[in-house]
């Protein structure tokens, strides 16, 4: 009997990241971590085992991997032929669940059509998240696929948190603050339970700081506020995204600069943030290594905004017990962590420079009034856990027909307008 496994897929515009987890009782064990990168241009399949040992590093001709569907077929064939791995289900990261979806969902064509209506709310992510789902539905219609939403973790917010100060009918139509990076925050909250239970029950700010960046206020492990809102464009400046901006700037760009909505979208999503401020790079590592004063300014701006939002989130929590760094910048840039903690000094944060430089879990000095931690995020494990839980709940494979009754009805005119 072959090993039962779950495949986790996180698709981008030119790459498909995947992980395979073995199902062991009620638990999961990671087997393979890989990605197909350079789709359409210079496709390369890379994968490692749990110890980091390379399993494959193979280059393909562009015509062999012209799209996401081909990337999945190629990676799937390798998993099957080289490792005899045939997943019993696939879990997907889907950035936006809109007003309808607040928990992991078994996917069919109808659900995908609904999720397509939220493409305008996450144009960098949603189309790429849905492409592999459609490809697998077409190729393996009986293979259970589960969507896990980045917005779901924030859906328990108080209405005063999620409203904008605009007429109420817009909220009913779905124009509200959603929050993102929920799978990352959910993982960090669950991990804190096991490594720092005293902190996990308290008031914690988590900074998911990467090329996409946001922050979340956790109270007793639950999201109560986030820096991102209606789209993944709000809040902190990011690698190429502007973050918070006066709506009047958008009106100016359209009315005075005569830019089209598509040109404004491309600007705010692709030419702002660190790349816009520095004119050099969206990568903190490159900016850190640059002597150009614009690079230093971009880094200082990012740290300043993190500190600014920390004050806002601390106010939402009524105080602060700990700050957690996660994601690419948060996990790997000691210099950025140092800059940010300096901005948190008014909250009583005192950094231990040696612990910070060596990437320890706890990086605060004993005299610090708040805890400072570094926790590598694991969104893929979170997706695998949700997938396994849904398989168990619905007895996938023996009673697929139970899904329709548990699927929410379409709500709100936002979906209809965007369709």
């Amino acid at each position: 009997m072959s090993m039962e496994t779950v495949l986790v897929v996180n698709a981008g515009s030119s790459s498909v990241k995947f992980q395979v987890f073995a199902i062991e009782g009620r638990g999961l064990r990671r087997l393979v971590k890989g990605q197909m990168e350079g789709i359409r241009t210079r496709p390369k399949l890379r994968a490692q085992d749990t110890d980091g040992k390379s399993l494959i590093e193979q280059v393909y001709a562009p015509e062999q991997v012209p799209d996401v569907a081909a990337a999945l077929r190629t990676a799937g064939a390798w998993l099957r032929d080289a490792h005899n791995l045939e997943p019993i289900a696939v879990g997907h990261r889907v950035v936006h669940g809109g007003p309808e979806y607040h928990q992991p969902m078994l996917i069919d064509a109808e659900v995908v059509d609904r999720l397509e209506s939220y493409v305008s709310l996450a144009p960098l992510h949603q189309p790429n998240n849905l492409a592999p789902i459609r490809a697998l539905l077409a190729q393996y219609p009986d293979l259970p696929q589960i969507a896990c939403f980045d917005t779901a973790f924030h859906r328990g917010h108080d209405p005063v948190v999620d409203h904008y100060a605009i007429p109420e009918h817009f909220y009913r139509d779905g124009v509200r603050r959603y929050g993102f990076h929920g799978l990352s925050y959910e993982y960090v909250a669950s991990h804190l339970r096991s490594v720092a239970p005293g902190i996990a029950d308290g008031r914690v700010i988590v900074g998911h700081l990467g090329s996409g960046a946001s922050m979340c206020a956790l109270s007793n492990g639950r999201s109560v506020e986030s820096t991102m809102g209606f789209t993944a464009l709000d809040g902190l400046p990011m690698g190429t995204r502007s973050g918070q901006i006066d709506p009047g700037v958008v009106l100016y760009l359209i009315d005075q600069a005569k830019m089209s909505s598509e040109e404004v979208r491309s600007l705010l999503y692709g030419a702002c943030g660190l790349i816009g401020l520095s004119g050099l790079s969206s990568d903190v590592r490159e900016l850190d290594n640059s002597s150009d004063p614009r690079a230093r300014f971009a880094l200082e701006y990012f740290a300043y905004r993190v500190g600014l939002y920390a004050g806002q989130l601390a106010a939402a929590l009524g105080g602060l017990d700990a700050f957690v760094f996660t994601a690419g910048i948060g996990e790997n840039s000691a210099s950025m962590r140092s800059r940010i903690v300096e901005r948190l000094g008014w909250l009583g944060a005192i950094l231990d420079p040696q612990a910070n430089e060596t990437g320890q879990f706890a990086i605060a000095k004993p005299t610090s009034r708040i805890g400072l931690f570094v926790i590598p995020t694991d969104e893929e494990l979170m997706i695998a856990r949700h997938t396994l839980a849904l398989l168990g709940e619905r007895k996938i494979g023996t009673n697929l027909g139970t899904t329709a009754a548990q699927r929410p009805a379409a709500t709100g005119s936002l979906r209809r307008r965007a369709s």
Side-chain angles (χ1 to χ4, degrees):
M1 181 177 176
S2 62
M3 182 188 307
E4 288 191 332
T5 59
V6 167
L7 173 65
V8 172
V9 175
N10 187 349
S13 59
S14 61
S15 67
V16 175
K17 297 178 183 178
F18 62 91
Q19 294 193 28
V20 180
F21 293 83
I23 300 173
E24 297 182 338
R26 298 193 175 196
L28 294 157
R29 178 168 58 89
R30 199 183 325 260
L31 298 175
V32 178
K33 178 179 181 180
Q35 68 177 24
M36 176 70 81
E37 58 192 20
I39 296 170
R40 290 182 296 277
T41 55
R42 300 180 64 184
K44 178 190 283 188
L45 176 62
R46 295 189 293 119
Q48 301 174 324
D49 64 14
T50 51
D51 297 322
K53 178 184 175 183
S54 177
L55 298 174
I56 186 173
E57 190 160 332
Q58 184 170 335
V59 177
Y60 299 85
E63 60 272 15
Q64 290 179 285
V65 189
D67 52 30
V68 167
L72 277 174
R73 284 197 301 271
T74 304
W78 172 73
L79 288 170
R80 182 176 59 251
D81 298 342
H83 299 279
N84 194 32
L85 294 174
E86 290 273 13
I88 64 168
V90 183
H92 297 267
R93 178 192 179 213
V94 177
V95 166
H96 215 304
E100 295 182 58
Y101 300 109
H102 54 87
Q103 60 189 6
M105 175 64 57
L106 185 65
I107 307 168
D108 59 17
E110 181 185 351
V111 171
V112 178
D113 287 342
R114 293 181 193 173
L115 293 174
E116 287 275 8
S117 69
Y118 306 128
V119 164
S120 63
L121 307 187
L124 294 186
H125 302 93
Q126 198 85 344
N128 301 316
N129 297 158
L130 299 181
I133 295 174
R134 284 203 181 279
L136 287 172
L137 277 175
Q139 196 170 1
Y140 306 104
D142 295 326
L143 178 65
Q145 297 190 72
I146 284 83
C148 299
F149 304 103
D150 255 346
T151 49
F153 185 63
H154 305 290
R155 287 300 297 274
H157 286 174
D158 189 293
V160 76
V161 173
D162 288 346
H163 271 70
Y164 289 107
I166 57 179
E168 176 66 18
H169 69 86
F170 287 109
Y171 182 86
R172 293 195 299 269
D173 287 348
V175 182
R176 60 186 72 172
R177 299 184 69 247
Y178 290 100
F180 297 87
H181 295 132
L183 291 163
S184 177
Y185 294 129
E186 186 177 11
Y187 173 78
V188 170
S190 68
H191 191 67
L192 273 175
R193 290 271 177 220
S194 60
V195 297
I199 293 295
D201 291 335
R203 302 161 299 180
V204 179
I205 295 173
V206 183
H208 178 102
L209 309 178
S211 58
S214 71
M215 294 161 65
C216 178
L218 299 177
S219 178
N220 194 26
R222 297 178 62 86
S223 170
V224 298
E225 179 62 274
S226 174
T227 58
M228 281 184 170
F230 183 55
T231 70
L233 189 62
D234 198 10
L236 296 174
M238 300 169 233
T240 63
R241 283 173 262 172
S242 65
Q244 182 272 328
I245 192 168
D246 184 338
V249 174
V250 178
L251 297 177
Y252 170 85
L253 294 175
I254 294 172
D255 294 339
Q256 304 301 317
K258 305 302 180 185
M259 295 175 68
S260 68
S261 60
E262 184 54 46
E263 287 171 332
V264 173
R265 182 182 293 110
S266 295
L267 171 71
L268 297 180
Y269 276 100
C272 293
L274 295 177
I275 186 68
L277 288 168
S278 71
L280 300 168
S281 175
S282 62
D283 192 318
V284 164
R285 292 166 297 188
E286 293 182 13
L287 296 176
D288 247 338
N289 291 327
S290 173
S291 58
D292 193 307
R294 295 176 299 168
R296 179 177 178 81
F297 177 77
L299 295 171
E300 290 295 340
Y301 184 92
F302 183 83
Y304 169 72
R305 288 286 161 177
V306 172
L308 205 62
Y309 275 108
Q312 175 180 307
L313 297 180
L317 289 166
L320 188 63
D321 299 311
F323 190 102
V324 178
F325 294 90
T326 194
I329 298 169
E331 295 169 24
N332 299 305
S333 178
S335 61
M336 182 55 74
R337 291 196 297 265
S338 178
R339 282 187 174 96
I340 291 169
V341 173
E342 188 176 344
R343 299 280 182 181
L344 303 180
W346 68 277
L347 287 165
I350 303 174
L351 186 70
D352 181 328
Q354 184 175 2
N356 182 47
E357 287 295 331
T358 54
Q360 300 298 307
F361 162 64
I363 59 171
K365 282 191 172 181
T367 51
S368 180
R369 290 205 305 272
I370 65 170
L372 300 169
F373 302 98
V374 180
I375 297 179
T377 193
D378 199 337
E379 295 161 305
E380 289 79 11
L381 178 57
M382 208 68 242
I383 294 168
R385 286 174 179 172
H386 283 308
T387 300
L388 182 60
L390 203 59
L391 291 178
E393 281 176 23
R394 299 187 176 177
K395 299 179 175 59
I396 298 296
T398 61
N399 194 9
L400 286 174
T402 60
T403 60
Q406 299 182 36
R407 191 172 299 130
T411 60
S413 60
L414 177 70
R415 185 185 66 82
R416 293 194 295 274
R417 275 204 309 274
S419 298

